[in-house]
Amino acid sequence: MKTLVRFAKCESGATAIEYGLIAALISVAIIASLNLVSGSLTSVFTNVSTELNKGAAGAGAGGG
């Protein structure tokens, strides 16, 4: 009987569930913000890639 009473008073399981819910909420917020920013990040990396390709083409044409 004492074990059952002690089990009923134990809140460690509830605390673990709360931490799990908080972690899930933070994960959802991170995923949502990455979805909002992904379009602009794609354009930035495309521009960087284009400029690097222009630089590489220009350096190869001059010969040294």
Side-chain angles (χ1 to χ4, degrees), residues 3-57:
T3 307
L4 186 60
V5 171
R6 192 169 47 217
F7 178 74
K9 290 183 179 181
C10 181
E11 295 182 4
S12 62
T15 303
I17 291 173
E18 290 171 357
Y19 282 131
L21 290 173
I22 291 170
L25 182 63
I26 290 171
S27 299
V28 168
I30 290 171
I31 291 170
S33 64
L34 287 176
N35 280 335
L36 291 174
V37 177
S38 66
S40 60
L41 281 178
T42 301
S43 65
V44 167
F45 283 116
T46 301
N47 291 339
V48 168
S49 176
T50 302
E51 293 299 321
L52 286 174
N53 287 334
K54 285 181 187 176

